[in-house]
Amino acid sequence: MAGQSSAGHETYYVPEKSSLAINATIGLITIVYGASSVINDATYRPGEETNSSFILFAGLAYMAATLWVWFGTAIRENRQGMNSAQLKHSYVIGMQWFIFSEVMFFAAFFGALFYIRNLSGPWLAGEGAGAMNSLLWPGFEYSWPLMDTPQDAIGGVQAQAAAGHLANNGEFTGPGKHLSFPGFANMSHWLPLYNTIILLTSSFTCHIAHIGIKENNRKKFNLWLAITVALGVIFLYLQYMEYHEALFEYGIKLNSGVYGTTFFMLTGFHGFHVAMGTFMLLVQLVRSKAKGHFSASDQFGFEASSWYWHFVDVVWVFLFLFVYIL
Amino acid sequence: MGAHGPAKGLTRWLTTTNHKDIGSMYLWFSFAMFLLGGSFAMIIRAELFQPGLQIVQPEFFNQMTTMHGLVMVFGAIMPAFVGLANWMIPLMIGAPDMALPRMNNWSFWILPPTFLLLASTLFMEGGGPNFGWTFYAPLSTTYAPPSVTFFIFAVHAMGISSIMGSINIIATIVNMRAPGMTYMKMPMFVWTWLITAFLLVAVMPVLAGAVTMMLMDIHFGTSFFNAAGGGDPVLFQHVFWFFGHPEVYIIILPAFGVVSEVIPTFSRKPLFGYDSMVYATASIAFLSFIVWAHHMYTVGLPIAGELFFMYATMLIAVPTAAKVFNWITTMFKGSITLETPMLFAIAKVFLFTVGGFSGLMLAIAPADFQYHDSYFVVAHFHYTMVAGAIFALSSAVYYWLPKWTGKMYNETMGKAHFWISFLGFNLTFFPQHFVGLAGMPRRIPDYNLMFADFNMMSSIGAFIYGTSQLLFLFNIVRTITHGKPVNSDKVWDGATTLEWTVPSPAPYHTFSTPPEVK
Amino acid sequence: MYQQAKRLSKLALCPVLMLLSLLSTGAWATEGAPQRWQLNMTPGVTEVGAKIYDLHMFVFWVCVVVGILVFGVMFYSVFAYRKERHQEPATFHENTRVEIAWTIVPFLLLLVMAVPATKTLIEIYDTDDADLDVLVTGYQWKWKYEYINPNGDNVSFFSNLLTDKAEIANSEAKGSNYLIEVDEPLVLPVDKKVRFLVTANDVLHAWWVPALAVKRDAVPGFINEAWTKATETGVYRGQCAELCGRDHGFMPIVVNVVEEAEYQEWMAGKQAEAAELKALMSKEFTMDELVARGKTVYNRSCAACHGPAGEGGVGPAIAGSAIATGPTKGHLDVVVNGVPGSAMQAFGGQLNEVDLAAVVTYQRNGFGNNMGDMLQPIDIYKFKKGQ
Ligand code: HEA
Ligand code: HEA
Ligand code: CUA
Ligand SMILES: [Cu+2]
């Protein structure tokens, strides 16, 4: 199938037909339906027995199985030499633009953070364009991290309701403590710093692994890749510790106002991406160790995962700056 | 590969990786959604035929407005253009297929079940989404019906489909052009799609972010859009419109592309100002990222922001003007014939420009204080979206149908479809300018008697326009079953692009060996 | 039927009217109140409104002129260069000079528009030195107006749709102010700069009165500023302009602009009313009085969600409700504080103590909930204080 056509141009491999997509659709739509049901049941019918979590897990399992086969097929095709250089380039472009879409997803949340911190937060406290807002939230002062929500400032949800002209939706009690830079004296207990060092290092080790495989040095590749994966796992463990601390010692929760909101959403999505990236790299490690995949000239599976990893790393740098330091 | 035909039966469609099959599925799906969204519009227009509540209750009316907007934008127009992209881009750039064929199939198949789920929310407890297609918080969060959770995940699924589809289009255009097909030789339609796909990849994730924030606010106690916790309902609007404004250019740019193919063909004269067309499209795309708050002039932005967004919005008229002038100059001193595709293309240029003019008026912030959320806005965006996009789609279907099927549509019926549409469309939406200026807000099921006359006109026009779409459907089906075979590959004597060099109907596999482009 | 026939016959006139509109814009909209067949924006009764109107017309005419030129060339090409007449198409396909020209000319046109637009916008944003502040709060689906009095008590009241349900259901003839009439209009003095502080209690609304050239979104938790200075007395009508849920279309605004003296008189009356209410606070009501008053309050404020017979709707049924037949404290808590995260608002700030006592008593004794207990305004007062 591959190779040169009479015109001297490589032919492009177009699979005849494939049931992968339709199976992936079944998986995806089951997940969508299941996840919506699980969440709705938890909110509107707490405690009731339903089968929605079964649907969700069935969907997840189906999807995982489909993806397993899908990636397996793509790998097999490549190893059988069906992929022309041109087709390989399509995969490269695909991965790059996928990462770009992820960048934009994070941009939405960073945008929200900047907007709250620089514009709407101060406005709520009666600064700038929001001069009159102090009529609604007398006593509210803005600072970041936001330790007292506007609701706290006027005396809690009951007072808010009694004040009459205020929206009556939900209880938001500010956190007890925050996770921002604690000063140089206490820096040695500050987990985000450790995490920054770990993640930055892992980008390096990942790059060394890449050099390894390009030099056809599989040992070097496997070693440094394993180190990268280990660093990813350590990062996740530390983040788990941090969350534990935040929730149970600092009183930072999703409903602790916008500080808790933005903290958990940004670091949470990032953590999820680290988990994905770690898993992707682990798969590449297994492929290399167990199956001897990748060569000096062709390591796309690894390369794609490493781009992803570098992307996750860059996001962390921004997080570290804007969530923890500034 | 060789000359394998398609598989037989349903599995052909479920398992296909062929860009033509997938293109056809997209086109049929979007047509079905157009009929569904159109039916919702008919309910809206029937209720607004007279003052008073006759047919539906306000709660249901709001669901109709919401679903009409959502289904038309996400179900009808976007998939229709993706369908055209699937069919035409490989043919226009001399590629054997799309770059990532299996993923292509997945992008399509996500849509039908997703829209089924979305439509089914209408039957859920508490009713379907009732907060407008712009789903502003907190009406869409704290005050939303439970079905909003399904809506949120459906939007996620749609986003996945769109992003994969766009990545595929980008990869195809960047990677699979035939030798000699440099960027500046690509047909204009391909250019507009390259830029559209970029916009999609850039903004669909932001929409995903917006609905994710909603989900968290509704179910997990976050306070993105809640002042009591330190958030801001207006934040939702910023995130939404950062997606939403580029979205309207996602809708219109491929339509510009279609017109840029059709007009030269029927003027028998090359497209005027090709280079400036490319730059204009790119400028529109760039500007579309910095104008979003023109939808929010009345939310209380600081004046500096207001001025910035006003100036940036006005600027968009410049590259758009260049495009309009280029089309007209292409016709100037041409040798014009007025087959149905050309009629639709000319009407599109004409009516879109009218919509552009009202857009420019809306862009003037102080004046928008009077226009905003009135029927003037409704008139504006139907001129841009129905006349701008749906007319371009009709044009495209008539233009390429002979290539797709190898058969000629019925020209008389096509012309009838055009003239009835043209009349019905203007009768529906022109009076809406007047009621809007006179003070009729949008999204209301009932109104004062002083708006009655124009609303009745508008409803009559809508029924005429809607019915004419049945003629369109009939003509297409009739062409497929009974059409006269076309006797030439080229079909239109003024056509110049690559797709006209392959046989009609286009064989299942084309350009297995890339053509040489000089 | 006859009305409809008349309307249809008018439809035939439309094309003529549209042409007329192009020639005589403005003639249609000199008055503050919208008219049938009105084709254009109203300049309204404020200076800013007139400026907006001029701006609108200026941009409109620029578009018309550009449109005539552009469409003129287009239709000329379509007619003059038809294949029958023009067999040999020209082959030119670019001309840098022309292309630059038609980039610069629109740009200059835009500059010309931007100048007056900027000026008007700056004026709209100048809310300083107001003679009077009114806090406007959007509720689902009514407006609350609160006159902020720098010395003394604020005067506040709700403004509800007045149109009869029967008119909406088409079982009664519709009046000329169908859907744009309220039980209590906002009253403003003429020739005074009035600043509106616009906010919302639940979802987004937008306060829009075309003749006063004000449209501002009401955002829960934030206060937006806007202002107007009406130069003519009269009644000006508008509607909520931001989708706010079911009855978004039934949330009108009526502003009554009156002479200063009349305004003062009205204000004095309002203040007296408030004093009277204060007196009522200490009065002992009988069960019948409470139930009668409660029924009125219920039908106005609660029936939309709980049904006229307490049978439920958006909200749960009141008839036989565990809360309405449970301890008064729990019942009061729901009504005064609302249920956060649901459509049930906190009525503690919306209704006065007398009305609260009445409506709760009514709910506990109406719809077959024969609890037999009653609440006095003072109980409500104590309940609120006790929190
Ligand atoms: C296909 C979709 C599409 C397109 C292409 C456009 C194009 C434009 N739109 Fe529109 N718009 C919508 C779809 C679209 N819009 C939708 C859906 C909404 C409402 C959403 C909602 O709230 O639900 C909306 C709302 C909307 C608003 C908000 C109104 C409000 O809610 O208050 C504004 C305000 O600035 C605006 C402006 C513009 C402008 C300046 C353009 C410009 O791109 C137009 C440029 C074109 C021209 C100007 C014509 C050609 C030029 C010439 C022939 C020559 C030069 C002319 C002069 C210099 C006079 N649009
Ligand atoms: C691309 C998008 C698109 C398209 C094509 C249309 C097409 C139409 N739309 Fe629009 N519309 C929107 C996008 C679109 N719309 C959006 C985004 C909104 C805003 C929503 C919101 O406020 O949130 C809106 C809102 C909107 C409103 C305002 C509602 C409100 O504010 O409450 C109205 C009212 O007249 C309307 C009418 C129509 C009509 C008559 C058509 C017609 O062109 C439709 C014609 C098609 C058919 C009719 C289908 C084919 C025929 C049949 C199925 C046969 C049956 C026919 C008969 C019985 C006659 N639309
Ligand atoms: Cu209040 Cu719409
Ligand atoms: Cu826009």
Side-chain angles (χ1 to χ4, degrees):
Chain A
M1 288 232 173
Q4 306 285 303
S5 78
S6 51
H9 196 270
E10 282 181 310
T11 47
Y12 198 85
Y13 170 60
V14 180
E16 287 284 292
K17 55 183 185 176
S18 155
S19 53
L20 289 169
I22 198 70
N23 281 306
T25 300
I26 295 171
L28 183 70
I29 203 71
T30 317
I31 293 174
V32 161
Y33 183 80
S36 314
S37 307
V38 166
I39 292 176
N40 265 10
D41 289 350
T43 303
Y44 303 110
R45 274 176 272 174
E48 229 171 272
E49 282 282 327
T50 63
N51 60 359
S52 46
S53 49
F54 172 75
I55 298 175
L56 176 59
F57 283 111
L60 286 169
Y62 200 93
M63 189 77 202
T66 308
L67 287 182
W68 175 269
V69 177
W70 195 323
F71 282 108
T73 311
I75 292 167
R76 181 159 25 79
E77 284 165 1
N78 188 23
R79 297 190 60 77
Q80 287 170 353
M82 285 148 94
N83 295 0
S84 61
Q86 199 187 8
L87 179 62
K88 288 180 183 167
H89 192 54
S90 289
Y91 280 126
V92 169
I93 296 171
M95 188 64 194
Q96 288 169 343
W97 285 92
F98 168 64
I99 290 179
F100 175 64
S101 78
E102 292 270 41
V103 170
M104 293 309 293
F105 183 75
F106 275 99
F109 286 89
F110 275 105
L113 177 72
F114 296 150
Y115 176 81
I116 289 166
R117 288 188 53 175
N118 298 313
L119 298 171
S120 69
W123 289 342
L124 272 173
E127 289 168 34
M132 298 314 294
N133 290 331
S134 35
L135 273 185
L136 297 178
W137 312 105
F140 173 63
E141 272 173 45
Y142 173 76
S143 66
W144 193 266
L146 191 67
M147 305 307 284
D148 285 313
T149 63
Q151 192 177 68
D152 289 330
I154 60 164
V157 69
Q158 298 291 334
Q160 188 193 351
H165 47 224
L166 302 181
N168 66 338
N169 30 22
E171 251 189 280
F172 309 100
T173 310
K177 261 172 148 181
H178 63 74
L179 285 156
S180 289
F181 185 56
F184 290 100
N186 300 318
M187 224 157 79
S188 56
H189 303 293
W190 193 43
L191 287 178
L193 182 66
Y194 290 90
N195 268 345
T196 308
I197 296 167
I198 289 168
L199 223 46
L200 285 178
T201 317
S202 78
S203 249
F204 271 105
T205 57
C206 187
H207 187 63
I208 298 174
H210 200 175
I211 296 173
I213 194 72
K214 279 198 168 155
E215 289 166 348
N216 227 345
N217 184 343
R218 185 169 300 276
K219 241 190 175 156
K220 180 170 171 185
F221 174 72
N222 287 349
L223 173 69
W224 287 98
L225 185 53
I227 294 176
T228 312
V229 172
L231 287 171
V233 172
I234 298 175
F235 175 93
L236 286 170
Y237 177 71
L238 289 185
Q239 190 166 21
Y240 165 76
M241 302 251 296
E242 187 190 28
Y243 271 24
H244 193 87
E245 198 178 14
L247 281 169
F248 299 107
E249 286 166 42
Y250 290 18
I252 309 173
K253 299 199 249 357
L254 277 169
N255 61 359
S256 313
V258 276
Y259 177 62
T261 296
T262 50
F263 170 76
F264 279 112
M265 292 304 287
L266 276 159
T267 58
F269 270 116
H270 177 263
F272 174 71
H273 281 77
V274 174
M276 292 288 297
T278 309
F279 179 72
M280 279 158 69
L281 290 173
L282 181 67
V283 171
Q284 313 312 323
L285 180 62
V286 173
R287 281 177 66 190
S288 167
K289 277 215 136 155
K291 301 254 175 109
H293 288 180
F294 306 128
S295 67
S297 60
D298 191 350
Q299 1 63 29
F300 176 67
F302 165 74
E303 238 178 343
S305 315
S306 78
W307 293 333
Y308 194 78
W309 192 250
H310 294 309
F311 149 70
V312 167
D313 194 21
V314 172
V315 173
W316 177 262
V317 174
F318 281 96
L319 274 182
F320 186 56
L321 268 177
F322 294 112
V323 174
Y324 293 103
I325 294 192
L326 295 177
Chain B
M1 248 196 285
H4 291 290
K8 293 276 179 301
L10 182 65
T11 43
R12 163 177 177 184
W13 303 104
L14 290 177
T15 62
T16 186
T17 51
N18 180 287
H19 72 102
K20 301 186 183 79
D21 282 352
I22 295 173
S24 303
M25 291 196 294
Y26 264 115
L27 288 168
W28 278 114
F29 170 75
S30 67
F31 202 89
M33 288 297 115
F34 177 58
L35 295 189
L36 180 67
S39 311
F40 294 157
M42 293 300 110
I43 295 177
I44 295 174
R45 283 310 338 163
E47 178 56 55
L48 293 176
F49 186 70
Q50 284 183 344
L53 293 179
Q54 286 91 13
I55 299 176
V56 295
Q57 287 304 306
E59 186 62 24
F60 190 68
F61 183 91
N62 290 345
Q63 295 174 32
M64 286 294 101
T65 299
T66 308
M67 288 300 238
H68 164 65
L70 288 171
V71 167
M72 283 301 195
V73 169
F74 293 104
I77 299 208
M78 286 168 66
F81 282 119
V82 180
L84 288 183
N86 260 291
W87 250 103
M88 303 321 299
I89 289 177
L91 287 179
M92 286 179 145
I93 63 173
D97 206 300
M98 295 291 282
L100 303 160
R102 279 184 295 239
M103 192 169 92
N104 201 16
N105 191 25
W106 194 23
S107 309
F108 170 73
W109 275 110
I110 289 175
L111 293 178
T114 302
F115 276 87
L116 198 67
L117 184 68
L118 190 62
S120 74
T121 56
L122 285 175
F123 304 101
M124 289 180 186
E125 207 184 313
N130 54 9
F131 28 64
W133 86 284
T134 50
F135 47 102
Y136 283 3
L139 190 61
S140 64
T141 54
T142 318
Y143 294 81
S147 64
V148 67
T149 316
F150 290 88
F151 159 83
I152 288 171
F153 279 97
V155 170
H156 274 305
M158 264 154 31
I160 293 172
S161 158
S162 277
I163 291 169
M164 289 195 306
S166 314
I167 290 178
N168 218 333
I169 288 168
I170 294 176
T172 308
I173 298 174
V174 171
N175 196 28
M176 299 191 58
R177 280 165 290 123
M181 174 71 75
T182 60
Y183 280 112
M184 292 314 268
K185 277 191 191 156
M186 294 192 312
M188 209 46 221
F189 178 72
V190 180
W191 254 116
T192 54
W193 245 117
L194 180 61
I195 291 169
T196 303
F198 164 73
L199 286 178
L200 274 165
V201 182
V203 300
M204 288 310 280
V206 176
L207 177 66
V211 291
T212 306
M213 293 176 201
M214 276 170 63
L215 183 79
M216 298 307 290
D217 267 17
I218 297 171
H219 296 287
F220 300 100
T222 57
S223 49
F224 282 109
F225 311 132
N226 206 320
D232 183 355
V234 174
L235 168 61
F236 175 84
Q237 298 180 29
H238 283 290
V239 184
F240 178 84
W241 286 116
F242 187 84
F243 147 81
H245 186 80
E247 168 69 24
V248 308
Y249 293 104
I250 288 166
I251 287 170
I252 206 67
L253 290 183
F256 287 172
V258 168
V259 171
S260 305
E261 300 302 327
V262 172
I263 288 183
T265 297
F266 294 93
S267 305
R268 294 167 181 77
K269 187 162 157 280
L271 181 66
F272 186 84
Y274 175 92
D275 293 16
S276 68
M277 282 296 220
V278 172
Y279 300 132
T281 313
S283 325
I284 293 175
F286 167 73
L287 287 172
S288 76
F289 284 107
I290 54 165
V291 301
W292 74 87
H294 64 216
H295 296 272
M296 305 164 55
Y297 284 143
T298 62
V299 294
L301 301 176
I303 187 162
E306 201 103 344
L307 288 172
F308 170 82
F309 286 109
M310 174 169 84
Y311 299 148
T313 304
M314 292 169 76
L315 266 187
I316 294 196
V318 174
T320 319
K323 303 202 72 138
V324 172
F325 298 148
N326 281 335
W327 291 320
I328 289 172
T329 316
T330 305
M331 288 190 261
F332 186 69
K333 296 207 165 172
S335 179
I336 299 173
T337 48
L338 294 180
E339 285 89 343
T340 311
M342 184 62 165
L343 284 176
F344 271 108
I346 294 174
K348 176 221 139 113
V349 172
F350 174 34
L351 298 175
F352 168 77
T353 305
V354 173
F357 287 151
S358 58
L360 190 63
M361 296 171 79
L362 291 167
I364 309 293
D368 186 66
F369 277 83
Q370 293 283 34
Y371 307 134
H372 177 67
D373 268 340
S374 75
Y375 259 80
F376 191 78
V377 178
V378 177
H380 157 67
F381 66 73
H382 284 92
Y383 266 80
T384 51
M385 296 210 289
V386 179
I390 300 277
F391 275 32
L393 280 166
S394 305
S395 173
V397 169
Y398 285 115
Y399 183 55
W400 281 308
L401 197 60
K403 177 55 60 188
W404 299 335
T405 62
K407 297 177 189 162
M408 198 60 188
Y409 62 87
N410 181 320
E411 188 65 57
T412 320
M413 227 194 291
K415 288 212 167 88
H417 170 215
F418 169 75
W419 284 109
I420 303 174
S421 294
F422 185 80
L423 178 96
F425 169 81
N426 285 295
L427 192 60
T428 313
F429 295 109
F430 207 74
Q432 294 187 355
H433 291 109
F434 301 144
V435 280
L437 291 174
M440 177 166 161
R442 54 192 284 211
R443 295 164 165 172
I444 57 173
D446 195 3
Y447 48 81
N448 183 267
L449 304 178
M450 70 197 170
F451 304 124
D453 311 286
F454 286 128
N455 268 292
M456 189 177 281
M457 271 170 79
S458 186
S459 293
I460 292 173
F463 301 145
I464 296 176
Y465 180 76
T467 314
S468 76
Q469 303 312 309
L470 295 181
L471 197 59
F472 185 32
L473 177 65
F474 181 72
N475 203 355
I476 297 171
V477 174
R478 186 77 206 170
T479 307
I480 295 170
T481 56
H482 289 79
K484 258 210 304 270
V486 286
N487 42 23
S488 126
D489 296 346
K490 204 166 158 187
V491 186
W492 312 111
D493 60 341
T496 54
T497 37
L498 267 184
E499 76 267 29
W500 305 106
T501 63
V502 305
S504 308
Y508 199 58
H509 295 292
T510 36
F511 297 127
S512 302
T513 316
E516 198 74 45
V517 181
K518 282 173 283 294
Chain C
M1 232 31 244
Y2 169 69
Q3 272 220 328
Q4 269 180 48
K6 233 168 88 180
R7 233 186 342 264
L8 279 172
S9 71
K10 283 251 174 146
L11 287 184
L13 263 175
C14 263
V16 184
L17 280 170
M18 286 185 196
L19 282 179
L20 261 178
S21 77
L22 289 178
L23 300 173
S24 66
T25 33
W28 289 90
T30 40
E31 290 174 42
Q35 314 285 314
R36 257 186 95 176
W37 296 108
Q38 180 176 325
L39 298 168
N40 205 353
M41 184 192 279
T42 170
V45 293
T46 64
E47 267 170 47
V48 170
K51 283 185 187 159
I52 291 178
Y53 176 79
D54 291 343
L55 195 56
H56 156 72
M57 288 318 291
F58 172 60
V59 180
F60 170 72
W61 282 115
V62 170
C63 289
V64 169
V65 172
V66 174
I68 289 175
L69 291 176
V70 172
F71 301 142
V73 176
M74 184 166 101
F75 288 115
Y76 170 77
S77 305
V78 172
F79 288 113
Y81 300 109
R82 284 288 262 289
K83 199 169 170 213
E84 300 95 273
R85 268 161 255 160
H86 196 246
Q87 294 285 345
E88 275 308 308
T91 53
F92 64 86
H93 57 85
E94 61 188 353
N95 182 330
T96 313
R97 233 178 297 158
V98 173
E99 289 173 56
I100 290 178
W102 71 38
T103 310
I104 291 177
V105 171
F107 184 76
L108 293 178
L109 279 177
L110 294 175
L111 272 187
V112 176
M113 294 174 198
V115 175
T118 307
K119 280 196 195 136
T120 312
L121 195 65
I122 290 173
E123 208 171 320
I124 291 177
Y125 267 75
D126 178 17
T127 50
D128 290 346
D129 305 321
D131 303 308
L132 172 66
D133 280 349
V134 181
L135 180 65
V136 178
T137 310
Y139 287 78
Q140 277 180 329
W141 292 278
K142 55 190 172 245
W143 294 97
K144 181 187 178 190
Y145 300 113
E146 185 167 357
Y147 290 76
I148 299 190
N149 195 345
N151 39 8
D153 286 346
N154 294 347
V155 163
S156 79
F157 56 90
F158 280 87
S159 182
N160 295 284
L161 175 72
L162 192 62
T163 304
D164 206 320
K165 286 251 161 13
E167 287 181 44
I168 298 174
N170 307 307
S171 49
E172 246 173 52
K174 297 176 179 31
S176 65
N177 287 327
Y178 177 66
L179 297 187
I180 45 174
E181 51 199 345
V182 297
D183 53 0
E184 249 203 291
L186 177 68
V187 178
L188 296 178
V190 71
D191 285 328
K192 286 268 152 64
K193 184 168 182 175
V194 180
R195 181 168 68 150
F196 299 108
L197 305 174
V198 187
T199 185
N201 174 71
D202 33 48
V203 298
L204 300 168
H205 304 265
W207 199 81
W208 181 27
V209 180
L212 298 182
V214 175
K215 184 186 284 139
R216 268 293 173 197
D217 289 10
V219 182
F222 288 80
I223 291 185
N224 277 327
E225 296 177 51
W227 68 274
T228 193
K229 189 172 176 183
T231 54
E232 281 170 44
T233 57
V235 179
Y236 306 109
R237 296 170 196 275
Q239 280 177 272
C240 175
E242 181 65 65
L243 180 61
C244 52
R246 194 190 62 210
D247 287 347
H248 161 60
F250 305 90
M251 199 176 154
I253 298 157
V254 179
V255 182
N256 201 354
V257 175
V258 297
E259 295 295 342
E260 172 73 16
E262 199 180 327
Y263 169 74
Q264 292 299 351
E265 197 181 321
W266 173 83
M267 186 47 108
K270 273 280 155 199
Q271 277 161 343
E273 226 175 80
E276 217 170 286
L277 192 70
K278 252 194 190 148
L280 276 183
M281 288 272 294
S282 46
K283 179 181 162 191
E284 277 281 325
F285 286 84
T286 66
M287 182 65 125
D288 288 348
E289 279 172 340
L290 283 173
V291 167
R293 191 180 181 109
K295 185 166 182 184
T296 321
V297 178
Y298 181 86
N299 287 336
R300 195 179 64 219
S301 303
C302 327
C305 297
H306 292 289
E311 74 274 25
V314 175
I318 298 298
S321 136
I323 290 181
T325 57
T328 38
K329 202 163 159 24
H331 191 172
L332 264 181
D333 182 49
V334 171
V335 179
V336 170
N337 298 322
V339 180
S342 86
M344 181 62 201
Q345 306 154 351
F347 283 95
Q350 296 189 33
L351 301 176
N352 59 51
E353 274 72 3
V354 182
D355 286 346
L356 282 170
V359 76
V360 172
T361 307
Y362 175 62
Q363 285 194 336
R364 300 180 71 76
N365 294 287
F367 322 122
N369 297 345
N370 295 316
M371 296 297 293
D373 50 3
M374 62 177 166
L375 285 158
Q376 296 295 340
I378 188 71
D379 299 326
I380 309 286
Y381 181 79
K382 281 186 188 148
F383 176 81
K384 279 189 178 174
K385 270 278 154 318
Q387 286 184 354

